Structures are given as structure tokens and as C-alpha cells.
Amino acid sequence: MGKTLLVVECTEHFNWYERFAGFKLHGKEEIRVEQATFPDISLTSYPSSGNPLVVNLRRAARPLPNTPQDRDRTCTPDFILLRSITRGIKGQDSRNVLLGMIHANVPSVNSLLSAQLVLERPVMFSELRKIQRRVGIDRFPLIAQTYYASHREMLITPDPPFVAKMAHCHAGYGKMKVDDQKQFEDLRSLVAVHGDYVTVEPFIDWDWDGRVQRIGEHYRCFRRRNPNWKGNTGHSMVIEDMELTPEIKLWADECAKAFGGLDILGLDFLHDKHSDRLYILEVNDTAIGLVHKYEDEDMDHMRDLVLMRMAQHYPDHPDHPDPALASSSSTSPSEQDKGKEEGEEKEKEEEKEEEKEEEEKESAEESEGARKVITELQSELSLLRSKLARERARVAELEAALAAPKPSILDRIFK
């Protein structure tokens, strides 16, 4: 029968047909590849119990040579590799297609639900704040961020200079540097017309920005220099390799746990040229851009990752519910026993780690609860003090009125 893999790819010259050519699931089951961009996809998810998703693919504007992209076609994907953002600037919005994929419960890399959640900046930042709370501010230096639901809340100007980002957009769009109150008022008027939320972050005077990339268990770390204050715009940027320090690796590993798990991610950060500190900005999911000199290697890593996830989801031996056992059909019994022992040890380590994280989380929640109680008590005390001050002022007024000379009866008659 074989399995159909749908790759949603935004980079036109990436050829996933060639990348998966000759590879088979469990070494024997054919993998049929279809590749398209989001704008070329339309679909319907039916209530059937089998494969309910029917996807129609339009002919590509620039078909890859010797591929089916030179014609319209239809497929029912068994697995999806997402390599494209779902929503960008105005007119680039394929959320309804993504929702159809979610509706059909088609397995994917990264997960379809994570692709939906990471769409909005506040949701993404919330996950990063959870990580910071779990591992500590010093170990996860996330940049401070303020959220405004609309222009009506933009009343107090943050300390300038700062960077304002409108809504969900990435790649430098919808972002501006604000240097004073007047510019903030101008921004507020634009937000009033546009109707979106706004996030604000302090401007970091940086000399380079960085990205740690994680594809499965493969890491890369890059440093980028750019004369523009927006590091990802312009044509003068220089990208170079940098050391993957234990600190930066920790960031990537923690982010890989976000949204139920991110197999592919890129975490962006800035280097403050004055304080020599690093600040984490945001996490990008499976649609990360690849550095040109590593494109082939990284595409191979993604292919191998997809093959592994497909093998886990569609085990070679249905009698074995454990995908790890099903994917070990090509190994010897001794290797299977060794792998089983290693898996059990790893499970124990993970359980210990989860228990430790749970204890730290409970401790953080207790501390947070105590802080909330203290804040509420302080607020109540402030209200009581204000009330007491008003009562004292009233008593003073009454005492002054009683102490004032009273006119006599004759004064009242002849007045």
C-alpha cells in the first residue's frame, strides 16, 4: 500500500521528492511524497474512521523538474512535514488549511497543534515564561515584554527606547523602534486604526544576534552581524558559526519541550554590547530558515527525523504497541535487549527529572501564591490607609466648624 507524505514547503528550490527518493518505511514500505506551498493547497476533512483528509494540490507556479508539481493532483496524506509559516503579512493566511489538518488528526513534524499555538506572539511568549519560571531567570534570561490588548490600554509610555511589535508578524514586519513619547502616541494612533494587539520590549543596543537551531538531536549555533537595528533585514548581514555552550544548549532543550514537543526549532537571542549579557527573544518552529552552506545536511536531518516519527506512528509490528519495539525489527535480539535496558534507564532518569521539575514547579507556585497574598494584603492596607486619611480629614473639618464663632440671635435678626 505505502504511505503518503505531504511536505508543505515555502522555499521553492527545496526538493523533498529527491530528498526522500529511495527511502522506505521500515525498509520495505513505499513513501509517496507530495510537495506544495500553503496557497496551492485546498482540503476537506471527512468524518470517516480511516484517513479522512482529502487534499487538492494546484499546479505549482514554478514546478520542480521531473516532479508531479506540473499538474493538479489529489492525495490523502498519512503524514505531514510542515516547512512553511501559516500566517504572515496581510494576504498570507492559511490558518483554515492548518485547522483542516488538525481536524483530521494527521500526524506531523512539528505537531499541527504546536503550529497553531505558536502563531500568536503572546502564546509563544507565555511558553517561554513557563520555562523561565521552571529553570530560573539567571539560566533563562528572557527579555521583558509588555502586552497591550488594544490602543486603549496604551496610556503610559514605557521607558524609551523600546521596540513595539504589532500582532503576530515576524521577519521584521510590523516592528518599530520608539525613542520618545511623541512616537509612542503616533504608534497608538496607528494601532487604533489597525485594531491589533501590541507587544513592547526594551531596545537592546546589540552588536550581534544569535540563533540556536535544533533538528531532532542535531544542534547548530549561529552569530549574525547586521548594521540595521533589525537583525533579519537588509543585505549586509554576515552569518558565522558560534560555539554551542551548555547555557545555550539548555535553552534549546527546554524549548523543545514547549507546546507538547518541538522536534524542529530555532531560538533567537541578542548580545548586549554594553553589558555583555544575552537576552532570549523568541522561539521559531518548524518553518525555520536554513543557513545555505548547511542546507543539504539539515534537510537530511529533517528527512531522517520524519522517517523516525513515521515509523513510530506506523509500527512495523502492530502487535507491539511500543513504537520503539516496532522500529527495532532490523536489529538483533541482543541489541534489542540492550536497547530495552537503555530505554528503561532513560525512563527512570526522565521520571526523576519530572519529579524534580514538579517539585520545583510546586515550590514556584507556593512562592507565587505567597507573593499574591502579600500583594493583596499590601493593596488592602493601602486602601485602609487612604480611608483613614479621609476620615481624619473629615474629623478635622468638623472640629474646625465647631471651633468657629457662632453668630448671636441679635446678629441674625438685624442681619
Side-chain angles (χ1 to χ4, degrees), residues 117-335:
L117 292 173
V118 83
L119 280 175
E120 299 293 348
R121 194 182 306 278
V123 181
M124 176 269 293
F125 195 81
S126 171
E127 285 294 302
L128 297 181
R129 293 181 73 174
K130 289 178 184 177
I131 296 172
Q132 186 185 59
R133 182 178 298 177
R134 185 171 66 248
V135 305
I137 295 175
D138 294 336
R139 299 179 69 198
F140 198 82
L142 180 63
I143 196 167
Q145 186 181 94
T146 301
Y147 172 88
Y148 298 102
S150 71
H151 72 285
R152 296 181 181 86
E153 288 75 36
M154 298 172 66
L155 302 176
I156 301 175
T157 306
D159 294 334
F162 56 88
V163 176
K165 301 176 181 179
M166 291 185 64
H168 64 280
C169 281
H170 297 275
Y173 289 104
K175 176 164 56 174
M176 67 177 291
K177 180 171 172 277
V178 179
D179 294 309
D180 52 43
Q181 181 179 356
K182 178 59 179 173
Q183 289 183 355
F184 185 66
E185 292 173 355
D186 291 342
L187 170 66
R188 183 175 181 269
S189 68
L190 292 174
V191 175
V193 174
H194 198 264
D196 260 317
Y197 63 81
V198 177
T199 57
V200 168
E201 302 164 358
F203 174 75
I204 305 298
D205 192 10
W206 57 278
D207 51 359
W208 56 267
D209 66 342
R211 166 172 287 188
V212 55
Q213 168 187 296
R214 190 178 193 266
I215 302 174
E217 297 301 321
H218 298 273
Y219 300 81
R220 295 193 195 278
C221 201
F222 305 102
R223 180 188 290 113
R224 178 175 57 189
R225 302 182 188 275
N226 194 330
N228 301 307
W229 73 267
K230 294 181 182 180
N232 54 356
T233 60
H235 301 284
S236 302
M237 67 180 70
V238 177
I239 300 176
E240 57 192 24
D241 295 331
M242 67 174 288
E243 179 189 2
L244 177 68
T245 64
E247 175 189 25
I248 295 175
K249 184 177 183 297
L250 170 71
W251 300 349
D253 290 342
E254 291 298 327
C255 287
K257 304 173 186 175
F259 302 111
L262 299 177
D263 282 326
I264 301 172
L265 66 89
L267 184 70
D268 296 337
F269 52 92
L270 292 176
H271 176 259
D272 189 326
K273 65 182 179 182
H274 301 293
S275 66
D276 196 35
R277 293 185 60 189
L278 296 176
Y279 292 91
I280 296 171
L281 288 181
E282 62 185 16
V283 64
N284 304 274
D285 67 339
T286 182
I288 57 172
L290 302 180
V291 175
H292 179 68
K293 66 178 180 179
Y294 294 122
E295 278 181 1
D296 281 341
E297 291 181 23
D298 289 341
M299 289 179 72
D300 284 347
H301 292 324
M302 290 184 184
R303 176 201 62 207
D304 295 343
L305 176 64
V306 169
L307 290 171
M308 181 185 73
R309 293 299 185 211
M310 288 183 71
Q312 290 175 343
H313 194 82
Y314 300 105
D316 190 24
H317 299 291
D319 295 337
H320 294 299
D322 185 354
L325 293 176
S327 62
S328 65
S329 59
S330 60
T331 61
S332 65
S334 59
E335 290 175 334

Side-chain angles (χ1 to χ4, degrees), residues 363-410:
S363 176
E365 289 176 351
E366 289 176 0
S367 300
E368 183 67 21
R371 283 194 292 269
K372 287 182 179 179
V373 171
I374 292 172
T375 302
E376 291 174 358
L377 291 174
Q378 288 175 339
S379 177
E380 187 175 350
L381 179 61
S382 177
L383 291 173
L384 290 173
R385 284 175 175 168
S386 298
K387 185 176 181 180
L388 179 60
R390 290 195 298 270
E391 294 298 331
R392 285 177 176 172
R394 178 60 178 160
V395 169
E397 290 176 1
L398 293 174
E399 289 177 347
L402 291 173
K406 307 295 187 300
S408 65
I409 296 176
L410 292 176

